[in-house]
Amino acid sequence: MSNPPDLRPDLARASVAEARRPGQPTIGMVSLGCPKALVDSERILTRLRAEGYGISPDYAGADAVIVNTCGFLDSAKAESLEAIGEALKENGKVIVTGCLGAEPDYITGAHPKVLAVTGPHQYEQVLDAVHGVVPPDPDPFVDLMPASGVRLTPRHYSYLKISEGCNHACRFCIIPDMRGKLVSRPVHAVLREAEKLVESGVRELLVISQDTSAYGLDRRYSAHPWQGREVRSHITDLARELGQLGAPEELWVRLHYVYPYPHVRELIPLMADTGNALLPYLDIPFQHSHPEVLKRMARPAASARTLDEIAAWRRDCPEITLRSTFIVGYPGETEAEFDHLLEWMDEAQLDRVGCFQYENVDGARSNALPDHVPAEVKQERWERFMEKAQAISEAKLAAKVGRQIEVIVDEIDEDGVATCRSKADAPEIDGNLFIDEGTAGLAVGDIVTVEVDEAGEYDLWGTI
């Protein structure tokens, strides 16, 4: 839940970085939390930029600062309050938005000097608050808006949000309370945005939502015209169309937050199709394996069938990468249930794994469950789980030594060392591949073939 340092206002990589014109009102942004919140920040800044506001890379140059908060866990809430306090100290004029904004009294109780508090994806209210603090002063002859809008990610990849909210009622989660039920964007609007991003130079589209596989359910999978044909607002149709926006050697499309519904099977042939840009990568939040734990979580208790699905996915697409997140120490979790999870991991052999120790969240129904696991037991189980996951990762990466794989270049440092990612690696959360020499002709955003020379626990090293 920690905020990447390069998304802070003093290091933000916004696409619009021109000098401030005389008299131009300027706004700073601190963006905390998940990629979905990052997209909200980009939309807010794009709207403000279109009204003539400049974007400040630091507190001192901003007439006001917007803090886009996270409120999912108590640790995230604490980080959000700390960021608000820092912005107040460094700038003084602070507007708060985002998930924690759903609890305005909680924010103003800690920081009574904030100028306004709005909830998640309340773009109009944020703009109204900015107008009240820093009136717009546009110059239509000078303030030009790039077609791709303002982005807080590097130029070569971008998050593509396809829906808001969630229809699940997991006991440990308060996302539906903060962001509401599932609301999907119409498919032609998503595809139009994706097309513009690709035209602006984006080489990797990262599809995100709270429940990507449920996309379009609220719209009854309504069909819309797109390039002379009807396309449904359905994840299969969307994935197929996104995968045709560019050749695989020119564009990557990566799916995040996919629940293992039966229709996910329809995505696997697209991933196996070498002519489609959809990557063989699924990010699926399994959370646990034991049926009783899943039942207490109020999640589908079908771990055995999940193993069957994983086997079928790998049969139909041998190159598929599976990443997931898990919770250990959930209320009532017994040693036998935890051992079941470790055994399940041995069978599932997931490629990329993250793990959290359970913690209470204000408003979550899991708080009231009996038999909460002591902190020291949660820590011990987390360490055992990560040891297992690390061993699996190390073995899988070692098997790639000597193979040729495609990577996308994220960064080239002053010594010429290139930090890259393979198709198996999403930015910020998975591993990297490093190229130590022969990078003179490389540029950030290039997609190149490398031979893997060396493997570690989570990262690879290779040669062009």
Side-chain angles (χ1 to χ4, degrees):
M1 291 297 174
S2 61
N3 186 49
D6 48 9
L7 300 185
R8 297 303 299 269
D10 53 327
L11 294 171
R13 296 172 291 185
S15 298
V16 179
E18 75 278 6
R20 180 177 182 176
R21 62 172 168 78
Q24 183 179 28
T26 305
I27 302 296
M29 171 71 80
V30 179
S31 189
L32 303 172
C34 63
K36 294 179 288 295
L38 182 65
V39 173
D40 290 342
S41 296
E42 291 175 338
R43 288 179 177 172
I44 291 167
L45 290 178
T46 296
R47 293 280 297 273
L48 290 171
R49 187 65 190 82
E51 294 184 352
Y53 289 90
I55 299 169
S56 174
D58 53 50
Y59 290 115
D63 295 314
V65 175
I66 301 170
V67 180
N68 192 0
T69 58
C70 179
F72 183 52
L73 298 174
D74 287 348
S75 54
K77 291 182 178 180
E79 184 190 15
S80 293
L81 290 181
E82 181 180 351
I84 294 167
E86 178 183 306
L88 283 168
K89 177 182 177 182
E90 299 294 333
N91 182 277
K93 295 181 178 180
V94 177
I95 296 163
V96 179
T97 189
C99 287
L100 192 57
E103 303 178 52
D105 293 341
Y106 181 84
I107 294 170
T108 55
H111 296 297
K113 292 185 179 180
V114 296
L115 300 175
V117 178
T118 71
H121 53 265
Q122 293 182 344
Y123 309 126
E124 299 299 333
Q125 290 91 327
V126 175
L127 293 175
D128 289 344
V130 172
H131 295 161
V133 177
V134 186
D137 184 22
D139 185 337
F141 297 102
V142 176
D143 299 331
L144 299 178
M145 186 66 217
S148 61
V150 177
R151 298 214 311 274
L152 298 177
T153 53
R155 293 178 183 273
H156 64 286
Y157 71 78
S158 180
Y159 293 102
L160 181 67
K161 187 192 285 190
I162 62 174
S163 67
E164 285 285 2
C166 180
N167 287 345
H168 291 286
C170 304
R171 288 195 175 97
F172 57 83
C173 181
I174 58 172
I175 293 294
D177 298 325
M178 293 190 295
R179 290 185 169 261
K181 293 290 187 180
L182 177 71
V183 179
S184 303
R185 299 174 62 195
V187 67
H188 61 293
V190 177
L191 291 171
R192 187 162 56 242
E193 180 183 351
E195 190 174 55
K196 289 181 178 179
L197 289 169
V198 173
E199 288 172 354
S200 72
V202 168
R203 305 297 300 275
E204 181 178 9
L205 295 170
L206 300 119
V207 178
I208 57 166
S209 67
Q210 198 60 39
D211 181 0
T212 295
S213 38
Y215 170 70
L217 177 64
D218 56 306
R219 307 183 67 87
R220 299 186 178 182
Y221 306 124
S222 59
H224 299 268
W226 173 254
Q227 295 186 346
R229 58 187 179 277
E230 291 286 302
V231 178
R232 294 178 303 158
S233 297
H234 187 284
I235 187 57
T236 306
D237 287 28
L238 177 63
R240 182 182 62 248
E241 298 297 329
L242 289 173
Q244 294 174 356
L245 290 177
E249 61 272 14
E250 300 171 351
L251 176 68
W252 289 1
V253 178
R254 190 183 301 275
L255 299 182
H256 284 288
Y257 314 128
V258 178
Y259 283 73
Y261 300 142
H263 67 260
V264 170
R265 299 170 197 161
E266 300 169 12
L267 296 171
I268 308 305
L270 296 175
M271 295 179 175
D273 181 0
T274 56
N276 193 292
L278 184 68
L279 295 182
Y281 179 100
L282 277 178
D283 177 4
I284 302 181
F286 289 120
Q287 306 297 13
H288 212 280
S289 67
H290 197 282
E292 290 303 314
V293 178
L294 292 168
K295 185 177 180 180
R296 292 197 297 274
M297 289 179 170
R299 293 177 70 82
S303 59
R305 290 197 295 276
T306 299
L307 287 173
D308 292 339
E309 286 293 305
I310 290 173
W313 298 338
R314 286 179 169 147
R315 180 194 66 224
D316 297 337
C317 183
E319 294 298 312
I320 195 168
T321 295
L322 301 177
R323 98 165 311 278
S324 189
T325 51
F326 294 86
I327 298 173
V328 295
Y330 190 78
E333 183 188 58
T334 64
E335 188 65 24
E337 290 169 343
F338 176 71
D339 286 340
H340 182 281
L341 175 58
L342 294 183
E343 292 170 4
W344 186 91
M345 284 284 291
D346 278 328
E347 287 198 60
Q349 290 288 301
L350 301 181
D351 303 87
R352 302 297 197 193
V353 171
C355 184
F356 299 91
Q357 298 180 43
Y358 171 83
E359 64 177 81
N360 283 341
V361 179
D362 284 345
R365 293 178 296 151
S366 57
N367 300 354
L369 289 173
D371 302 321
H372 280 242
V373 178
E376 62 273 14
V377 175
K378 287 191 285 188
Q379 178 67 24
E380 185 263 345
R381 288 178 182 172
W382 180 84
E383 291 173 358
R384 287 164 60 194
F385 180 93
M386 292 308 299
E387 184 179 359
K388 171 80 67 178
Q390 181 177 303
I392 293 172
S393 173
E394 190 171 12
K396 282 181 169 285
L397 293 183
K400 295 185 178 183
V401 174
R403 290 183 55 191
Q404 291 188 0
I405 62 174
E406 285 186 320
V407 299
I408 190 167
V409 181
D410 278 343
E411 183 182 350
I412 303 174
D413 68 17
E414 58 187 14
D415 296 322
V417 176
T419 300
C420 315
R421 288 179 293 107
S422 72
K423 293 180 179 180
D425 302 299
E428 308 284 355
I429 57 175
D430 293 329
N432 292 298
L433 181 142
F434 300 99
I435 305 174
D436 296 331
E437 56 186 21
T439 61
L442 281 187
V444 171
D446 283 352
I447 296 176
V448 296
T449 301
V450 301
E451 182 169 319
V452 180
D453 301 327
E454 185 181 344
E457 294 164 350
Y458 300 109
D459 299 314
L460 297 169
W461 286 260
T463 306
I464 297 176

